[in-house]
Amino acid sequence: SQTIHQWPATLVQPVGSPLSLECTVEGTSNPNLYWYRQAAGRGLQLLFYSVGIGQISSEVPQNLSASRPQDRQFILSSKKLLLSDSGFYLCAWFDREGAGELFFGEGSRLTVL
Amino acid sequence: ILNVEQSPQSLHVQEGDSTNFTCSFPSSNFYALHWYRWETAKSPEALFVMTLNGDEKKKGRISATLNTKEGYSYLYIKGSQPEDSATYLCAFEDNYGQNFVFGPGTRLSVLP
């Protein structure tokens, strides 16, 4: 069966520091992968999605970036965090072979101080 | 920019009450409409994925309908229970599996 993991679960970082959140999927190949963010009191905002290795689409201009170095690995990064980057980040993958639903990781809560 | 809206923003009901929420989405470039339940301290989990106008889906006490021509979907919960307390999200999918746009969610609290 397929599983998705993301880490770290919780992160407290100072403004201006770098960020790396990692997401891996097991049990499937060539999935579509997504990074979402939930800011306080708001819904899920799509940040990036990827349909294959090295293919990244950005939905929102920001100081975050994403990379997909391997088929089942998706990384969210920043060189210098802003206060506004605080939020709950979710990685997800899309099941083309099943019911066509998104499966989400456990989430990473980022607090920028 | 695609806009997906949900109402109400939050809802408090008594155990046993039936309730419903609304999701509105663009009627053009539609591929599918998703409903997810997001419980506190857990990941969102899919409830329904609907693709055809007039679709109705049911899972236990929860059901959903879809109107793609006018761009709305309803989620119904019959006989609400405290374990139904969660945020219910809808998501509009266009261009098959590339772009999922979520609404802001409806937060449901069921009081015992």
Side-chain angles (χ1 to χ4, degrees), chain A residues 2 4 25 28 31-34 91-95 101-103:
Chain A
Q2 302 91 346
I4 178 169
V25 181
T28 187
N32 283 9
L33 296 172
Y34 303 81
C91 179
W93 74 279
F94 177 64
D95 176 18
E101 61 195 65
L102 285 169
F103 290 92

Side-chain angles (χ1 to χ4, degrees), chain B residues 7-98:
Chain B
S7 63
Q9 184 178 22
S10 64
L11 196 56
H12 298 263
V13 301
Q14 291 293 134
E15 182 176 355
D17 287 351
S18 293
T19 187
N20 65 85
F21 327 130
T22 304
C23 173
S24 60
F25 52 87
S27 54
S28 58
N29 297 321
F30 174 88
Y31 183 83
L33 192 283
H34 300 231
W35 281 100
Y36 292 82
R37 175 166 60 200
W38 193 1
E39 296 178 68
T40 303
K42 294 186 178 180
S43 305
E45 291 184 342
L47 290 171
F48 305 112
V49 180
M50 296 182 288
T51 57
L52 298 176
N53 185 44
D55 257 356
E56 292 188 26
K57 296 214 172 178
K58 187 175 181 182
K59 185 182 292 187
R61 294 179 290 100
I62 304 176
S63 60
T65 61
L66 178 66
N67 183 323
T68 59
K69 293 182 179 178
E70 297 182 37
Y72 65 84
S73 175
Y74 294 133
L75 186 78
Y76 301 91
I77 302 179
K78 184 178 179 181
S80 303
Q81 299 296 309
E83 58 264 31
D84 295 328
S85 297
T87 296
Y88 291 83
L89 300 168
C90 69
F92 170 87
E93 178 188 348
D94 70 354
N95 298 326
Y96 187 57
Q98 292 198 13

